[in-house]
Protein backbone atom coordinates (compact mmCIF):
# COMPACT_ATOMS: atom_id res chain seq x y z
CA UNK A 1 0.00 0.00 0.00
CA UNK A 2 2.71 2.46 0.96
CA UNK A 3 4.80 1.31 -1.97
CA UNK A 4 1.95 2.16 -4.37
CA UNK A 5 1.62 5.65 -2.88
CA UNK A 6 5.36 6.28 -3.19
CA UNK A 7 5.35 5.07 -6.78
CA UNK A 8 2.34 7.29 -7.56
CA UNK A 9 4.01 10.39 -6.09
CA UNK A 10 7.32 9.61 -7.79
CA UNK A 11 5.57 9.18 -11.15
CA UNK A 12 4.17 12.73 -10.95
CA UNK A 13 7.70 14.04 -11.38
CA UNK A 14 7.96 15.70 -7.97
CA UNK A 15 11.74 16.23 -7.86
CA UNK A 16 11.74 17.28 -4.22
CA UNK A 17 10.12 14.02 -3.12
CA UNK A 18 12.53 11.92 -5.16
CA UNK A 19 15.46 13.86 -3.71
CA UNK A 20 14.05 13.34 -0.23
CA UNK A 21 13.84 9.59 -0.82
CA UNK A 22 17.37 9.53 -2.19
CA UNK A 23 18.86 11.37 0.79
CA UNK A 24 16.78 9.37 3.27
CA UNK A 25 18.10 6.14 1.79
CA UNK A 26 21.71 7.26 2.17
CA UNK A 27 21.05 8.53 5.69
CA UNK A 28 19.76 5.10 6.69
CA UNK A 29 22.77 3.40 5.09
CA UNK A 30 25.20 5.68 6.94
CA UNK A 31 23.27 5.21 10.20
CA UNK A 32 23.53 1.44 9.77
CA UNK A 33 27.27 1.64 9.15
CA UNK A 34 27.89 3.87 12.16
CA UNK A 35 25.80 1.56 14.35
CA UNK A 36 27.92 -1.37 13.20
CA UNK A 37 31.14 0.52 13.91
CA UNK A 38 29.87 1.51 17.36
CA UNK A 39 29.07 -2.13 18.12
CA UNK A 40 32.55 -3.17 17.01
CA UNK A 41 34.12 -0.44 19.15
CA UNK A 42 32.06 -1.49 22.18
CA UNK A 43 33.01 -5.12 21.66
CA UNK A 44 36.74 -4.36 21.42
CA UNK A 45 36.59 -2.00 24.41
CA UNK A 46 34.76 -4.57 26.54
CA UNK A 47 37.17 -7.36 25.59
CA UNK A 48 40.25 -5.25 26.32
CA UNK A 49 39.21 -3.42 29.51
CA UNK A 50 36.42 -5.68 30.81
CA UNK A 51 33.35 -4.38 32.62
CA UNK A 52 34.99 -1.96 35.04
CA UNK A 53 37.17 -0.20 32.48
CA UNK A 54 34.33 0.02 29.98
CA UNK A 55 32.03 1.47 32.64
CA UNK A 56 34.58 4.13 33.57
CA UNK A 57 35.04 5.02 29.91
CA UNK A 58 31.32 5.45 29.29
CA UNK A 59 30.84 7.41 32.53
CA UNK A 60 33.57 9.86 31.46
CA UNK A 61 32.18 9.94 27.92
CA UNK A 62 28.71 10.78 29.22
CA UNK A 63 30.04 13.58 31.42
CA UNK A 64 32.02 15.05 28.51
CA UNK A 65 29.04 14.90 26.14
CA UNK A 66 26.80 16.55 28.73
CA UNK A 67 29.33 19.34 29.29
CA UNK A 68 29.72 19.80 25.53
CA UNK A 69 25.94 20.05 25.21
CA UNK A 70 25.80 22.71 27.94
CA UNK A 71 28.69 24.61 26.39
Amino acid sequence: MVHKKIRKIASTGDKNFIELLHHSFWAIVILGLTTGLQFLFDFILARKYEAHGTGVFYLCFTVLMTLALLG
Side-chain angles (χ1 to χ4, degrees):
M1 183 172 166
V2 174
H3 193 295
K4 287 182 182 181
K5 288 183 180 181
I6 292 173
R7 196 180 306 169
K8 181 182 175 185
I9 293 171
S11 68
T12 61
D14 187 4
K15 289 179 132 181
N16 292 331
F17 185 72
I18 295 171
E19 185 178 349
L20 177 72
L21 288 178
H22 180 75
H23 290 293
S24 296
F25 170 77
W26 285 111
I28 289 173
V29 168
I30 291 171
L31 180 65
L33 290 174
T34 56
T35 302
L37 286 173
Q38 181 66 44
F39 178 77
L40 183 65
F41 175 74
D42 291 342
F43 182 77
I44 292 170
L45 188 71
R47 295 287 281 171
K48 185 169 175 86
Y49 295 110
E50 299 176 348
H52 180 72
T54 304
V56 170
F57 171 80
Y58 278 110
L59 178 64
C60 294
F61 184 75
T62 302
V63 169
L64 286 174
M65 289 296 112
T66 304
L67 291 174
L69 178 67
L70 294 175

